[in-house]
Amino acid sequence: MTSTSLSGGGSLRGCVRVPGDKSISHRSLLFGAIAEGETTIEGLLPAEDPLSTAACLRSMGVAISPIEAGSTVRVQGVGLDGLQEPGAILDCGNSGTTMRLMLGLLAGRDGRHFVLDGDGSLRQRPMARVAKPLAQLGADISGREGGNKAPLAIRGRALHGGCITTAVASAQVKSALLLAGLGASAPVTVIEPALSRDHSERMLRAFGADLSSDPAADGGPRVVVRPGAVLKGQTVVVPGDISSAAFWLVAGLLVPGARVTIENVGLNPTRTGILDVLKQMQAPVQVLNQRDVAGEPVGDLEVQSADLQAFSIRGELIPRLVDEIPILAVAALKASGTSVIADAAELRVKETDRLAVMARQLKAMGAEVEETADGLIIPGQQQLKGAEVDSETDHRVAMSLAVAALVAEGETRINRADAAAVSYPSFWDDLARLQRG
Ligand code: S3P
């Protein structure tokens, strides 16, 4: 495990192209695997999480070309029912998306047996949110703590249709149910309490699935998948990940004299909550070159240092920026006024308990942060002090602490900084380049 030292007081200038969107990368591999024919993926995120998805698919007989930065990845689809029973456990690493989407995909593979496992963090994450609704469709999933925790065993069975109202606005839960619905005996309807990211809906439709959605339906956003359609291999172009761009957006706003352009960022409206919050903070963020790339909106973002106002976020906005809350906590420390994050209890079941970890680590830098049951209260205009901090193995915490270090007095040592490789392997190189200007 590596640590990295950063000093405050430097500059930050230049142009950065963030790596591919993690959510879209997972889905392109998974949908490509169960389609017929070849899927070609441009811009796939070459990070640990998508590599976990690829490794699981390869152990079920799917040929996937090497995944390297800048490479075009080719997936030889085996068809919906072509996945072979693996000879060993499927290791999902640190990736909740891999484990939850695999549960949905594999539950209906009749007569085959699968075991899903992951690292220490993933073994602590709740899986009943997927396993229970899948059981309503006839799935047979068991595991520790009544089927809630990995390792999880799946006995593939023929699934039936149904209408499921999910308890949380989670794209992982929704996507697992849609994948199960592709091969069920009747349609599967998913109703969410609030709209979560819709990459699965967009991409499944592009692959030929019979799927309709109504984000404004009475009773909550609704998606229906009807079984029977044959998925056909596609060309997928993965845009840059707005969740990775978020670190540069906030760093560009906070570091005095900074000016940063972030190219090719995915701007799907179910993901752009952070831009709404930055507007609330009166941040000068410009969206340039807006375009549509393979069914997803994309643009470039330009940002420069500015005085910021405090923000208040809650409710339906939270699923639209759920992964950006750690870095927004850092932005709040420098704003005028007190910022409030509420309705964000989901953060407690991410790769780490991100509310507790961010509060603990920012306090180590001298910050005043109040942790509530479902959020954080953060007074602004605080001066951070360089300190020894720890990602606690969480990629987004590592990168958020790096941005905090840039505006702290003195030197900060970030332990377990290599966690960033889960979603952004070139983060530290990009940071060094922007610091050189
Ligand atoms: C993801 C959905 C979100 C997000 C995660 C990726 C996805 O999780 O936090 O990083 O790709 O579907 P939830 O579904 O748990 O909200």
Side-chain angles (χ1 to χ4, degrees):
M1 285 286 172
T2 57
S3 59
T4 296
S5 290
L6 291 172
S7 294
S11 77
L12 202 72
R13 288 183 93 84
C15 187
V16 63
R17 209 175 163 87
V18 288
D21 186 276
K22 183 157 78 67
S23 294
I24 297 175
S25 294
H26 283 297
R27 287 158 172 80
S28 63
L29 290 166
L30 282 162
F31 302 169
I34 58 169
E36 292 190 349
E38 182 176 272
T39 286
T40 305
I41 312 169
E42 306 284 349
L44 185 96
L45 169 65
E48 288 171 13
D49 266 16
L51 288 175
S52 294
T53 291
C56 291
L57 292 168
R58 285 184 182 126
S59 20
M60 293 184 281
V62 181
I64 302 173
S65 65
I67 297 174
E68 283 149 12
S71 68
T72 297
V73 175
R74 292 177 200 285
V75 181
Q76 307 305 328
V78 296
L80 182 56
D81 210 38
L83 295 171
Q84 296 161 15
E85 183 175 82
I89 64 146
L90 297 171
D91 184 358
C92 304
N94 188 246
S95 175
T97 310
T98 306
M99 186 169 278
R100 295 192 175 121
L101 270 57
M102 284 290 170
L103 284 170
L105 179 63
L106 301 179
R109 308 283 68 82
D110 201 10
R112 276 152 279 176
H113 184 255
F114 309 90
V115 179
L116 300 180
D117 200 4
D119 69 6
S121 154
L122 191 53
R123 283 183 179 167
Q124 292 309 316
R125 298 183 66 186
M127 294 297 147
R129 55 179 54 200
V130 182
K132 271 197 177 154
L134 284 172
Q136 288 181 50
L137 303 177
D140 179 352
I141 297 167
S142 57
R144 294 185 302 125
E145 295 184 19
N148 190 31
K149 302 264 172 83
L152 294 166
I154 307 166
R155 260 181 235 277
R157 296 199 356 191
L159 302 180
H160 45 80
C163 177
I164 307 223
T165 301
T166 64
V168 280
S170 159
Q172 294 177 354
V173 176
K174 172 174 64 179
S175 303
L177 291 166
L178 296 177
L179 281 166
L182 289 174
S185 62
V188 169
T189 302
V190 186
I191 301 171
E192 301 190 271
L195 186 62
S196 65
R197 62 192 67 187
D198 68 355
H199 304 300
S200 291
E201 294 92 306
R202 288 173 186 250
M203 205 189 292
L204 279 173
R205 230 181 254 126
F207 271 77
D210 183 357
L211 182 143
S212 52
S213 56
D214 181 0
D218 281 348
R222 170 188 292 259
V223 191
V224 186
V225 62
R226 288 169 212 81
V230 175
L231 303 190
K232 293 265 189 258
Q234 299 294 314
T235 295
V236 180
V237 183
V238 183
D241 199 326
I242 190 167
S243 296
S244 297
F247 303 107
W248 306 129
L249 283 173
V250 173
L253 288 164
L254 297 192
V255 172
R259 191 182 187 98
V260 180
T261 304
I262 314 150
E263 287 178 350
N264 189 41
V265 182
L267 297 174
N268 179 314
T270 61
R271 297 286 299 283
T272 50
I274 180 150
L275 298 183
D276 297 353
V277 179
L278 294 178
K279 203 177 261 173
Q280 213 188 108
M281 298 180 85
Q282 294 175 23
V285 179
Q286 288 211 63
V287 183
L288 308 167
N289 298 325
Q290 275 188 272
R291 55 208 183 265
D292 204 80
V293 179
E296 291 276 351
V298 172
D300 303 334
L301 301 174
E302 203 173 84
V303 73
Q304 55 192 318
S305 63
D307 292 334
L308 301 174
Q309 301 303 311
F311 62 83
S312 175
I313 57 174
R314 63 180 63 245
E316 298 200 347
L317 182 56
I318 300 295
R320 294 182 54 232
L321 49 66
V322 65
D323 292 335
E324 286 66 80
I325 289 176
I327 188 61
L328 282 171
V330 176
L333 292 167
K334 289 287 166 191
S336 299
T338 295
S339 295
V340 179
I341 299 164
D343 299 331
E346 270 297 296
L347 264 77
R348 296 200 182 279
V349 292
K350 294 292 177 188
E351 286 81 334
T352 60
D353 175 344
R354 287 183 173 157
L355 298 178
V357 173
M358 284 308 294
R360 185 158 52 235
Q361 297 302 327
L362 292 175
K363 279 178 186 167
M365 298 179 80
E368 188 189 331
V369 177
E370 187 189 333
E371 192 184 333
T372 63
D374 66 352
L376 297 170
I377 300 174
I378 307 172
Q381 293 180 319
Q382 300 195 48
Q383 181 55 59
L384 297 172
K385 292 185 206 67
E388 182 160 351
V389 293
D390 185 2
S391 75
E392 304 196 29
T393 74
D394 189 319
H395 54 126
R396 300 203 197 281
V397 172
M399 294 183 273
S400 299
L401 293 175
V403 175
L406 298 180
V407 290
E409 227 166 54
E411 190 173 275
T412 297
R413 186 182 171 85
I414 305 170
N415 292 329
R416 294 190 270 187
D418 49 346
V422 160
S423 61
Y424 195 163
S426 54
F427 176 80
W428 303 105
D429 293 339
D430 284 350
L431 173 56
R433 209 167 35 76
L434 290 173
Q435 282 184 305
R436 286 194 300 270

